[in-house]
Amino acid sequence: MQIAATYDPEGFRDRGFVQAITDDGAEAGPARAVADLEAEVAALEESGGPRWVWPATADIAPALLRRGVRVDRCHDLALTEALLLAYEGHCGEPRSLGAAWARLHGLPVPEDRAEGTMAAPADNPTTQPALFEPDRSRLSADVDPLRAVREVYAEQLRRIAATANPGAFRLLVAAESAASLAAAEMAHHGLPWRADVHSQILEEVLGPRPLDGSPPREMVAMAARLAEALGIRALNPDSAAQVTKAFSDAGVKLPSLRRWELEGIDHPAIPLLLKYKELSRLYSFNGWVWRDTWVVDGRFRPEYSVGGVVTGRWAARGGGALQIARRLRKAVIADPGWLFVSADAAQLEPRILAAMAQDPGMAEATQSDDMYSALAGVFEGSRDQAKLGLLGAMYGQTGGGAAAPLALMRRRFPKATALLDDAAREGERGRLVRSQLGRTCPPPSQRWQSAIAGDAEADAADDSNRRSGQVARARGRFTRNFVIQATAAEWAEVLLALLRQQLRTLDGPQLVFFQHDEVLVHAPREHAAAVTEMIIQCATAAGRLVFGPSPVRFPMSVHSVECYGDAK
DNA sequence: GCAGTTTGCGCC
DNA sequence: AAAGGGCGCAAACTGC
């Protein structure tokens, strides 16, 4: 059964409307106004788990979770709209229910409300329900909201049926919707984070916390040593201009201040500069201010944005959730009696390539848990060369140390190479490419379009032609990588959706973190073994769902640990 | 003086 | 011959 549900766009956020609908979005019962939509969802969920068809999970799920309501399945109209718009070549157009409804009726389309930067938890404690969630449905007051849900849903089903592979697209929509539920649950649970351990790390590396907000002891000391090594009185190592000038005065020309460039330069001040950058990064990115802002009641609660990246990866706002520095993972410690089951897909992207391209040689290599080692023989006995060849092909690298392994890649894995080259060529011509399930890249930007068009302009200056070529090739690298990254992201979302279902059969384990190809489940100790088994099975099932019968293996590297820092 | 852009880092 | 894809964030820098 399916139930359309929406808040009253005009009223207080508790009020809403519900109505049973058929598989194709027609009315299957009376429309009902309810005084407390969340209570209504809870009751209906209790009595048999419908599929909820609603404007946006992100708008309702946090409130439901605060009231202890967990929803089994949904169809997220906004996320689906975004997938369909991209498929149809209109990536980036407004995707709210109101926008979709307006497009359907040829009316002016409202802009989406910005997702906005998340208020830090100190200002907006998640433990305290906000009086109003932002209404992102953008539905105008004179529209019957249930009618809008039904009509947009029915239209989406028609548009899905019109895609080249409706079954695949349906899976994509289901996975994306399930992922939106998982994201809300992870934000709700939060990642266990020990503020005291975090402080300990900071003090070991930076010295005691300065009380007045000035830079900590070790940074000041390193800056002083750096100045001394350069023979000057003082400098601000954060200022590129000052650093470049100081090295120049010392007779060293720096091509840039990138770490990998600096590492190739022989000067006694270079290691000091690198060390300073390391300290500075920790201090400014994950220092005491970060901890005070983002760690509340022993939990780090970022806000995830499902579909926030064009490739289908999640984005996160607030606290740099998807860039938790490895050294800080020591502060991620399970509650007493609990463990983290940490799982990451080993070498996901080359496996995705092997499955998409149905390349027999690469598929054979996926039988191994370490593809690169399995392929070392092909790459003159070097695991590193194998890795360079595979990654270089997927990222569109051409020169440098990758040239030789890329040539081998081309010769030994022609089907895989052809898939990537085709994607790159399509991109260079300004065309769209799609993932395995149908997620579609954005059309070329204005800059790309004029650059690609500029190629044809006979009287364009050489300089302009060269720039055009560069821009077109950059687009080619993007589309080349898009097909792989987007398919990897959807494989991971399918895995997450399956795992979320499985975990519901246990009492206790919670998804607390997801990062592209890695999941973290916080589980009572006695459930860790069962969770481990579930993850491994879900990975295999995800491969079958996304690719059908395929010899390609998707092994997971799974560890049960008390501390996330010990996971790898 | 403020807002937008650039640079560089680190995560995948 | 050849600048490897995606992101978020902080500080410096640039332009108005």
Side-chain angles (χ1 to χ4, degrees), chain A residues 28-294:
Chain A
R32 289 191 296 126
V34 294
D36 184 343
L37 179 62
E38 292 145 25
E40 189 69 20
V41 169
L44 289 166
E45 186 72 24
E46 192 73 23
S47 67
R51 183 150 65 124
W52 296 98
V53 178
W54 56 35
T57 305
D59 285 348
I60 187 171
L64 290 172
L65 288 163
R66 279 194 295 267
R67 295 173 67 159
V69 184
R70 283 182 44 106
V71 162
D72 192 36
R73 293 181 303 155
C74 74
H75 173 100
D76 185 308
L77 289 166
L79 290 174
T80 305
E81 188 69 18
L83 290 169
L84 283 165
L85 284 168
Y87 188 92
E88 294 155 357
H90 303 290
C91 189
E93 289 188 15
R95 72 273 315 266
S96 68
L97 173 62
W101 193 84
R103 260 192 306 271
L104 190 54
H105 291 273
L107 298 168
V109 176
E111 290 298 313
D112 287 340
R113 186 182 295 260
E115 286 190 70
T117 321
M118 183 191 181
D123 302 328
N124 179 22
T126 1
T127 45
Q128 236 177 53
L131 287 177
F132 300 95
E133 298 288 337
D135 175 15
R136 294 198 276 250
S137 75
R138 313 300 280 153
L139 214 50
S140 66
D142 55 348
V143 181
D144 169 6
L146 281 177
R147 181 183 155 208
V149 169
R150 290 194 312 266
E151 288 185 0
V152 168
Y153 179 54
E155 178 68 8
Q156 288 185 351
L157 296 179
R158 280 192 289 274
R159 290 156 73 194
I160 291 169
T163 62
N165 190 346
F169 209 93
R170 274 182 210 113
L171 175 59
L172 176 58
V173 166
E176 188 102 328
S177 294
S180 70
L181 294 169
E185 286 159 11
M186 280 189 254
H188 179 74
H189 298 140
L191 180 63
W193 197 286
R194 284 273 296 273
D196 57 330
V197 176
H198 187 164
S199 286
Q200 207 179 313
I201 297 166
L202 294 178
E203 280 168 28
E204 277 168 18
V205 179
L206 298 169
R209 177 178 195 169
L211 297 175
D212 55 0
S214 59
R217 187 186 68 203
E218 295 302 317
M219 271 174 74
V220 174
M222 196 56 64
R225 287 178 59 194
L226 178 59
E228 193 189 336
L230 288 166
I232 55 180
R233 200 174 313 133
L235 92 165
N236 173 10
D238 286 320
S239 165
Q242 286 186 40
V243 172
T244 309
K245 171 149 194 332
F247 273 91
S248 163
D249 291 348
V252 181
K253 174 107 179 64
L254 299 179
S256 81
L257 297 182
R258 289 185 183 84
R259 202 183 58 183
W260 63 270
E261 300 245 44
L262 296 178
E263 278 167 352
I265 290 168
D266 184 29
H267 187 279
I270 290 288
L272 301 174
L273 177 58
L274 291 172
K275 186 69 188 167
Y276 177 88
K277 281 167 164 280
E278 188 188 326
L279 298 177
S280 169
R281 165 93 187 175
L282 178 65
Y283 173 66
S284 63
F285 211 78
N286 290 119
W288 291 277
V289 173
W290 182 92
R291 194 206 61 186
D292 290 349
T293 307
W294 292 105

Side-chain angles (χ1 to χ4, degrees), chain A residues 404-524:
Chain A
L406 280 169
L408 284 169
M409 171 88 193
R410 191 168 295 282
R411 196 152 64 239
R412 296 297 294 270
F413 306 117
K415 286 188 83 172
T417 309
L419 182 142
L420 296 167
D421 288 349
D422 286 351
R425 194 175 330 108
E426 291 295 294
E428 287 186 23
R429 291 178 182 167
R431 302 214 186 100
L432 305 183
V433 296
R434 307 190 199 280
S435 70
Q436 180 78 9
L437 298 184
R439 191 185 300 271
T440 306
C441 75
S445 68
Q446 285 300 322
R447 207 173 135 247
W448 273 330
Q449 281 180 13
S450 53
I452 292 166
D455 255 348
E457 309 242 338
D459 60 347
D462 277 359
D463 191 46
S464 149
N465 266 334
R466 192 163 56 244
R467 225 179 354 258
S468 302
Q470 281 172 5
V471 171
R473 278 191 295 279
R475 168 86 185 167
R477 283 193 301 276
F478 167 64
T479 51
R480 168 190 291 271
N481 184 254
F482 180 93
V483 293
I484 302 300
Q485 192 181 118
T487 304
E490 61 205 15
W491 177 89
E493 271 194 342
V494 170
L495 162 67
L496 192 65
L498 295 171
L499 180 59
R500 177 176 175 273
Q501 290 288 349
Q502 289 285 304
L503 289 174
R504 296 198 70 176
T505 64
L506 301 175
D507 189 27
Q510 296 172 336
L511 283 164
V512 289
F513 192 56
F514 171 68
Q515 181 173 242
H516 311 314
D517 62 357
E518 176 182 356
V519 294
L520 208 56
V521 178
H522 190 218

Side-chain angles (χ1 to χ4, degrees), chain A residues 147 225 300 333 337 548 564:
Chain A
R147 181 183 155 208
R225 287 178 59 194
F300 169 43
I333 296 175
Y564 185 31

Side-chain angles (χ1 to χ4, degrees), chain A residues 353-419:
Chain A
L353 173 60
M356 278 190 94
Q358 301 181 3
D359 187 298
M362 281 189 75
E364 173 64 29
T366 68
Q367 302 313 307
S368 167
D369 283 357
D370 182 0
M371 271 184 86
Y372 302 137
S373 289
L375 291 176
V378 172
F379 291 89
E380 298 171 338
S382 161
R383 184 185 182 279
D384 285 350
Q385 292 283 297
K387 187 172 177 179
L388 210 54
L390 262 56
L391 294 180
M394 289 188 291
Y395 290 155
Q397 189 171 8
T398 50
L406 280 169
L408 284 169
M409 171 88 193
R410 191 168 295 282
R411 196 152 64 239
R412 296 297 294 270
F413 306 117
K415 286 188 83 172
T417 309
L419 182 142

